[in-house]
Amino acid sequence: MAVKAIGIGLINSPTQCFGLQHPIQPKVRVFAVRCSVAVSPDSPSAAGLGERPWKTSDARLVLEDGSIWRAKSFGAKGTQVGEVVFNTSLTGYQEILTDPSYAGQFVLMTCPHIGNTGVNFGDEESSKCFLGGLVIRSLSIGTSNWRCVETLGDYLTKRNIMGIYDVDTRAITRRLRQDGSLIGILSTEESRTDEDLLQMSRSWDIVGVDLISGVSCTSPYEWVDKTDPEWDFNTNKRDGKIFNVIAYDFGIKHNILRRLASHGCKITVVPATWPASKTLEMNPDGVLFSNGPGDPSAVPYAVQTVKELLGKVPVFGICMGHQLLGQALGGRTFKMKFGHHGGNHPVRDIRSGRVDISAQNHNYAVDPATLPEGVEVTHINLNDGTCAGLAFPAMKIMSLQYHPEASPGPHDSDLVFTEFIELMTKSKQ
């Protein structure tokens, strides 16, 4: 094969560049480039002519609405089903990956560039990854962080978590905001047809599924991990161990436990199925009902446990714990259109008028109109007006729909842990 290219170049005189009145006529130079390639069709190198030096699309995200999104894979291979939700956090992808509240879900990051800080084991919120998969726009080709010990891709591969990139996350987010959270299928298996994957997405549902039992611990344990002083911004009572707290593990994040320990709490973590009678035998100063994944209506055993503890000991509910408290008080919970997921949600404390920027991760909310008399709505989400906090002083109850530990941030709501300490202090007097 021979290729011949002819080009014409114009070489202007320097006098033209200085704007003289009588510029010299430009000189014309003609050049030619001739390339000769002779490759036999049977040559071993001939087969490599079609290969590309970059990764091509090898994965699909198929949504239950029938849309199919081609992408490139990283992390684990295979086929996985989950509910697709979007998270508006600009950072903290490692905390998101290890948050048990994301069990059964694919997390789509609206921030386009993910992976540039790599992974370090100090930022994990649990012992493993629970989410179904990660969907991002651009995967960083390098890492730049002094704490980095591993790339995001290697991290997901070792933990058998699927990820895709080079997909239009903006378009998918707009679709989720318009139509609500959708069930999706992530697949790298070419043997599965689009129709097969679509049928799979339409035959699976996350509503009514008990996801807590798959993320909770199986036996009680004492929390002994101390927060590194470098990362702890409240150390006044860290070594005091003044309060004995029982924490129900519905999918608890490690930084919730660290924050309680920093405020002087000795913490015993118990499984989601731990009987209320055994909790009372341990004579706690307070009980924490933690965050967790899924539908609160799918775990009636947890609601019953909460009911049996109300009024007998100060309680603090976070996220799933907040929803379980709402149901235990006789209220109703409902599934939101696309939920709250991100680190930039404004919340107003109705009692003081203070506005905090909060970290949130939930698809369900408590309907305040269904709550009995005496229950006070303390916080509201300023984006949509939903209930973000409850209090029932007569029964020593407080709760938040969002995450006051807020790792990786913001830390506006950390004062709520002080409120829980005050609630236990008053109960002991």
Side-chain angles (χ1 to χ4, degrees), residues 102-298:
Y102 280 115
Q105 293 179 321
F106 298 149
V107 179
L108 181 152
M109 302 297 295
T110 59
C111 181
H113 194 59
I114 299 295
N116 57 309
T117 58
V119 170
N120 73 85
F121 302 123
D123 287 345
E124 296 190 323
E125 289 292 343
S126 64
S127 59
K128 59 182 292 186
C129 297
F130 289 96
L131 81 175
L134 184 65
V135 181
I136 63 177
R137 176 66 184 91
S138 176
L139 178 64
S140 177
I141 61 175
T143 59
S144 179
N145 189 292
W146 64 273
R147 301 171 67 212
C148 174
V149 296
E150 195 172 27
T151 67
L152 177 58
D154 289 342
Y155 180 82
L156 293 187
T157 300
K158 292 179 181 178
R159 286 154 182 78
N160 199 33
I161 300 297
M162 296 184 66
I164 61 171
Y165 68 101
D166 266 12
V167 64
D168 193 343
T169 53
R170 180 179 175 86
I172 299 176
T173 300
R174 288 172 63 89
R175 182 162 302 205
L176 297 176
R177 283 182 57 85
Q178 177 178 328
D179 301 333
S181 299
L182 297 170
I183 303 300
I185 303 289
L186 276 179
S187 182
T188 59
E189 298 177 310
E190 295 182 1
S191 60
R192 296 180 182 269
T193 66
D194 293 342
E195 291 73 17
D196 290 340
L197 298 178
L198 179 59
Q199 182 59 36
M200 288 177 61
S201 70
R202 292 176 175 174
S203 60
W204 188 82
D205 199 354
I206 198 171
V207 177
V209 178
D210 177 6
L211 296 174
I212 288 178
S213 59
V215 302
S216 179
C217 62
T218 57
S219 60
Y221 66 91
E222 184 177 344
W223 177 257
V224 295
D225 184 21
K226 292 185 178 181
T227 306
D228 190 325
E230 183 178 4
W231 309 109
D232 195 349
F233 48 89
N234 184 335
T235 60
N236 293 333
K237 300 179 180 179
R238 184 174 58 221
D239 299 318
K241 304 302 181 192
I242 300 173
F243 300 98
N244 178 29
V245 173
I246 304 299
Y248 273 81
D249 180 10
F250 300 131
I252 198 165
K253 294 173 66 178
H254 287 172
N255 270 290
I256 292 176
L257 300 172
R258 293 190 181 106
R259 297 311 302 136
L260 286 173
S262 294
H263 283 75
C265 297
K266 178 182 179 181
I267 309 162
T268 303
V269 183
V270 299
T273 55
W274 190 252
S277 58
K278 290 189 176 181
T279 294
L280 294 174
E281 289 175 3
M282 299 167 75
N283 193 29
D285 297 309
V287 173
L288 172 79
F289 300 120
S290 81
N291 61 293
D295 183 356
S297 299

Side-chain angles (χ1 to χ4, degrees), residues 292-338:
D295 183 356
S297 299
V299 286
Y301 60 87
V303 177
Q304 183 60 35
T305 299
V306 174
K307 282 183 179 180
E308 294 175 7
L309 291 172
L310 294 184
K312 300 176 182 177
V313 61
V315 298
F316 179 21
I318 295 176
C319 206
M320 171 61 77
H322 161 85
Q323 298 162 16
L324 295 174
L325 276 168
Q327 289 200 358
L329 289 168
R332 183 180 68 88
T333 57
F334 63 93
K335 193 173 191 299
M336 307 173 74
K337 185 174 181 179
F338 46 79

Side-chain angles (χ1 to χ4, degrees), residues 17-56:
C17 300
F18 293 97
L20 297 182
Q21 295 297 323
H22 302 287
I24 302 173
Q25 291 297 322
K27 298 178 180 179
V28 179
R29 182 173 65 186
V30 179
F31 60 91
V33 178
R34 183 181 299 274
C35 300
S36 297
V37 180
V39 179
S40 169
D42 298 326
S43 171
S45 60
L49 289 176
E51 297 178 359
R52 298 176 180 177
W54 57 85
K55 186 178 180 68
T56 57

